[in-house]
Amino acid sequence: MEKSDSRMEVVLLATGSFNPITVMHLRLFELARDYLQGTGKYKVVKGIISPVSDGYKKKGLVEGCHRLAMAQLATENSDWIEVDPWECSKKEWTETALALRHYQQQQISTDNGEIREKKSGCRKGQKRKRNHICQDVPDYNCPESKAPPQVKLLCGADILESLGVPNLWKPEHVNEIVSSFGLVCITRMGSNAQKFIYESDVLWKHRHNIHLVEEWITNDISSTKVRRALRRGMSVRYLVPDSVLDYIKKHDLYNEESEEKNSGLTLEPFLRNSENPQ
Ligand SMILES: Nc1ncnc2c1ncn2[C@@H]1O[C@H](COP(=O)(O)OP(=O)(O)OP(=O)(O)O)[C@@H](O)[C@H]1O
Ligand SMILES: NC(=O)c1ccc[n+]([C@@H]2O[C@H](COP(=O)(O)O)[C@@H](O)[C@H]2O)c1
Ligand SMILES: [Zn+2]
């Protein structure tokens, strides 16, 4: 008899501006998958790129439809990374913990649907019991029973360190992200993720659920640097996929004017989390 695969299935969710998407964003997924699968405990089944809503109000953020289109072009050749418009099709900005809940729920619904269709071993229409997200346990008596894939947040170390910025993240959301979902964090030049975890009580408590992935082939590409180069008329070829570059040129997306978008506005998380919102 074939031995069953006991590895936990994982879906990696990367949220961000993707303004524009770069090859480094795509590399994050490859690095994270290699790392998790290398532990022998996880099987990465999907990657999701979820571009942020225009309501995030970050300076220089071009329209969501363009950021979405570029991300779709960039992932055309990947057989496991997808782009999801859920966040960026909304006018209002969505907090990351809520995005994680949404994508986790999607996994649970899809999973239950598939199980019901398979029917093998289980009675017709029988749903398998849920994993810990639903405060329930898998039904080990059912041969088809395996917890639905666990959604984990994929990010760079700059985002990990941003968890400590006052009024940027709600403390209960930070707790939920590291306790219920988990973080896969790619180290980035200029960041000290390990020290940051050591200095935070909540991150330290859940350190087993925070995977730090060392990027040995360091590459400090950022969207900010790509936009800067474009404004200066310099080449960004091989920093973004060719299809993305064609799209940027066709729509003249990044220039002095686009960089002034949202200039002078407060980033939405600060507005939401400040004690005396305007
Ligand atoms: N070179 C990199 N190394 C590690 N993580 C990265 C790198 N570039 C982007 N990321 C991560 O990708 C995710 C999406 O980030 P984002 O869209 O802000 O890109 P960015 O390049 O950081 O853009 P910007 O310069 O506009 O902030 C974040 O989790 C960020 O930390
Ligand atoms: N409180 C929160 O949930 C919170 C705060 C700041 C940034 N974020 C997310 O992190 C990502 C950051 O992207 P940038 O690095 O481009 O600013 C965005 O997807 C944003 O929604 C979430
Ligand atoms: Zn960033």
Side-chain angles (χ1 to χ4, degrees):
M1 210 173 92
E2 224 177 89
K3 209 175 153 222
S4 71
D5 189 347
S6 61
R7 292 178 299 171
M8 178 195 267
E9 292 190 345
V10 168
V11 169
L12 293 169
L13 172 68
T15 61
S17 302
F18 304 103
N19 185 36
I21 191 162
T22 70
V23 293
M24 195 56 206
H25 291 130
L26 302 170
R27 291 280 309 145
L28 298 184
F29 282 93
E30 298 290 328
L31 288 161
R33 182 171 71 162
D34 277 355
Y35 177 86
L36 288 180
Q37 298 197 160
T39 65
K41 293 184 197 160
Y42 304 98
K43 181 181 174 193
V44 177
V45 293
K46 201 200 305 199
I48 303 174
I49 292 177
S50 183
V52 78
S53 151
D54 294 347
Y56 185 47
K57 307 223 186 75
K58 190 168 175 174
K59 186 173 177 288
L61 191 67
V62 305
E63 288 83 352
C65 60
H66 290 310
R67 291 180 288 111
L68 183 70
M70 290 187 283
Q72 278 160 345
L73 288 169
T75 50
E76 249 171 6
N77 297 327
S78 174
D79 58 0
W80 70 283
I81 309 171
E82 297 173 2
V83 183
D84 199 302
W86 185 75
E87 269 193 81
C88 88
S89 60
K90 290 182 200 295
K91 202 167 152 277
E92 302 289 329
W93 169 67
T94 306
E95 288 161 306
T96 298
L98 273 59
L100 280 159
R101 284 182 214 164
H102 164 77
Y103 289 111
Q104 184 64 66
Q105 194 50 51
Q106 205 177 54
Q107 290 308 310
I108 292 166
S109 316
T110 316
D111 209 60
N112 276 332
E114 278 172 10
I115 293 274
R116 261 176 276 132
E117 266 168 35
K118 278 188 191 164
K119 293 177 206 161
S120 70
C122 309
R123 266 175 284 124
K124 190 178 174 186
Q126 180 187 4
K127 284 186 187 180
R128 75 182 172 193
K129 289 178 189 167
R130 300 267 171 82
N131 75 344
H132 74 279
I133 292 291
C134 309
Q135 310 299 315
D136 223 334
V137 287
D139 178 1
Y140 294 110
N141 295 323
C142 166
E144 284 300 317
S145 180
K146 202 176 174 200
Q150 171 70 62
V151 178
K152 290 188 180 290
L153 186 65
L154 170 63
C155 67
D158 56 312
I159 297 292
L160 178 82
E161 294 189 3
S162 85
L163 297 176
V165 175
N167 289 332
L168 190 56
W169 299 78
K170 291 194 176 92
E172 61 270 30
H173 281 178
V174 174
N175 185 60
E176 182 179 351
I177 291 169
V178 291
S179 62
S180 299
F181 297 98
L183 262 183
V184 184
C185 174
I186 314 293
T187 58
R188 204 173 176 175
M189 269 180 210
S191 66
N192 193 341
Q194 262 165 335
K195 183 162 180 273
F196 188 76
I197 293 169
Y198 164 71
E199 286 174 355
S200 154
D201 285 342
V202 65
L203 298 186
W204 181 257
K205 183 175 170 199
H206 296 287
R207 62 192 183 284
H208 59 278
N209 216 8
I210 304 175
H211 303 272
L212 290 185
V213 184
E214 187 79 40
E215 162 59 308
W216 294 109
I217 311 172
T218 54
N219 201 334
D220 202 25
I221 299 176
S222 76
S223 301
T224 301
K225 288 179 179 171
V226 167
R227 294 197 306 277
R228 185 181 294 139
L230 285 163
R231 283 201 303 282
R232 295 177 182 175
M234 294 169 86
S235 169
V236 294
R237 191 147 190 220
Y238 310 122
L239 299 178
V240 301
D242 282 351
S243 54
V244 171
L245 185 52
D246 291 345
Y247 188 95
I248 291 172
K249 286 187 177 158
K250 186 173 165 203
H251 297 273
D252 185 23
L253 279 191
Y254 297 108
N255 45 48
E256 299 287 345
E257 197 189 325
S258 70
E259 201 58 28
E260 286 312 304
K261 279 182 201 284
N262 300 323
S263 179
L265 296 183
T266 306
L267 201 67
E268 187 61 16
F270 288 127
L271 269 189
R272 289 225 196 142
N273 298 330
S274 60
E275 277 171 3
N276 302 305
Q278 303 286 305

